[in-house]
Amino acid sequence: MIKKNVIITGASDGIGAAAARGLNQAEYNLYLVGRNKAKTAKVANGVDAPYFTADFSQLDQVRHLAELLQRTLGDQKIDILVNNAGGLFGTHALTNDGFERTVQVDYLAPFLLTQLLMPNFNPDQAVVINTSSIAHQLFGHINLNDLNNSHKKYKGTKAYGDAKLANILFANELDRRFHKNGLSAVSFHPGMIRTNFANDKKSWMYRIYHTMLNKVVMQSAQEGGDTLRFFIEGTPGETWESGAYYNKRAKAKKVNPQVNDLTLQQQLWDKTQKLLQDYL
């Protein structure tokens, strides 16, 4: 059996770490990425995998990450890329790259990493999996002229919903552009998961993720990791449909109307390419 090469971002904790621990090491070569070195190393050591650290709020680090992964892989091809890193911030702030933090960490950085690694994808069958969220439906509405959510009434949940909506549009456009070339892409909502998330105390979501409420309304990271493994271990076209968005393991019946806007998908792709042109 030829082992598949799998890159998982956001692997230091939560569903990324849980998925990594649950994958059969006889079937997969794992390459784990996290922001916190100690936590990422602990997970990687537990599954005997190399690890890499990068802060997605700094796009130079994302570019450096891509170079390290390419150097490490050498002639080996990437079979599966899991864009799982993310965060939610309660206050508006721009990164040193000039982008609002949430949209950069949750969308722009994964888009950049995917673009940089595409030459290394397995030409026969490669998979990109984007962790999205039901927040895309509850809070998201993309304005191509204001991806930074720079208006005065900034809300962290709106920025997060926009970024997770962008993740879905990104996966759909990947499928539309490259499926004929052997690339499959999917996005999914893992459920409300008890993880170290939304740690900005100014966000109302902090009260859900970091109080006793999380044990009442949320699932465990293990359950979310099992859902992520469903897509990693599955076969596109059989287990799941490329270019689709899933609520856990079922195709979502309710989505933000912008998900089905093909023109917006294309425009967002082109806009993002332009925004990131200095890093590509």
Side-chain angles (χ1 to χ4, degrees):
M1 180 183 294
I2 299 176
K3 297 173 71 172
K4 291 184 177 181
N5 296 315
V6 182
I7 298 170
I8 303 177
T9 71
S12 64
D13 203 351
I15 70 171
R21 294 184 180 112
L23 288 168
N24 186 343
Q25 294 182 48
E27 298 180 21
Y28 302 96
N29 294 314
L30 301 181
Y31 301 84
L32 306 185
V33 179
R35 184 175 62 85
N36 183 294
K37 181 177 181 179
K39 292 171 66 175
T40 310
K42 182 178 180 180
V43 177
N45 291 338
V47 297
D48 193 24
Y51 72 92
F52 308 81
T53 57
D55 183 345
F56 278 18
S57 68
Q58 299 182 45
L59 293 180
D60 279 341
Q61 290 197 26
V62 177
R63 187 162 55 180
H64 182 60
L65 168 65
E67 292 171 353
L68 286 177
L69 285 165
Q70 290 166 331
R71 197 177 309 149
T72 302
L73 283 159
D75 294 332
Q76 296 185 71
K77 295 300 181 180
I78 298 168
D79 296 289
I80 302 172
L81 170 62
V82 180
N83 289 316
N84 176 63
L88 184 153
F89 307 95
T91 56
H92 186 276
L94 298 181
T95 68
N96 291 335
D97 301 297
F99 304 113
E100 188 272 325
R101 285 180 298 178
T102 302
V103 74
Q104 177 164 321
V105 171
D106 291 66
Y107 169 61
L108 294 176
F111 184 102
L112 175 62
L113 181 63
T114 304
Q115 292 293 311
L116 293 173
L117 292 178
M118 280 187 72
N120 302 87
F121 283 0
N122 186 333
D124 297 322
Q125 177 62 73
V127 170
V128 175
I129 302 168
N130 288 351
T131 301
S132 185
S133 169
I134 198 172
H136 92 276
Q137 178 187 349
L138 300 176
F139 310 115
H141 184 82
I142 289 176
N143 178 355
L144 290 174
N145 296 317
D146 187 22
L147 291 179
N148 277 345
N149 275 288
S150 57
H151 49 78
K152 293 182 179 179
K153 295 182 179 179
Y154 173 85
K155 293 183 179 179
T157 49
K158 166 68 164 55
Y160 182 70
D162 285 358
K164 291 305 180 182
L165 174 56
N167 289 154
I168 299 173
L169 297 177
F170 173 37
N172 292 356
E173 188 67 4
L174 271 172
D175 172 76
R176 191 186 71 81
R177 292 184 182 228
F178 301 108
H179 188 71
K180 61 181 179 294
N181 298 327
L183 175 62
S184 297
V186 68
S187 52
F188 77 105
H189 167 58
M192 293 291 286
I193 306 298
R194 292 193 299 272
T195 63
N196 184 29
F197 182 75
N199 52 16
D200 188 328
K201 294 183 179 180
K202 294 182 180 180
S203 167
W204 63 266
M205 291 185 73
Y206 177 89
R207 295 193 293 273
I208 297 178
Y209 278 88
H210 297 274
T211 68
M212 290 298 292
L213 278 174
N214 69 11
K215 295 183 179 179
V216 177
V217 302
M218 294 186 173
Q219 297 175 291
S220 68
Q222 182 61 55
E223 291 174 286
D226 289 346
T227 300
L228 175 52
R229 284 197 299 110
F230 169 80
F231 295 99
I232 294 174
E233 296 171 339
T235 302
E238 297 179 14
T239 312
W240 48 265
E241 178 184 333
S242 183
Y245 165 69
Y246 284 73
N247 188 336
K248 299 180 184 177
R249 303 186 187 196
K251 280 185 66 175
K253 296 180 180 179
K254 295 182 179 180
V255 297
N256 187 306
Q258 288 189 313
V259 167
N260 299 313
D261 188 335
L262 297 181
T263 300
L264 179 62
Q265 287 180 25
Q266 297 168 27
Q267 291 176 337
L268 178 63
W269 179 286
D270 294 339
K271 175 81 171 184
T272 306
Q273 288 271 42
K274 186 176 181 179
L275 291 173
L276 297 175
Q277 61 185 348
D278 292 338
Y279 302 93
L280 290 167

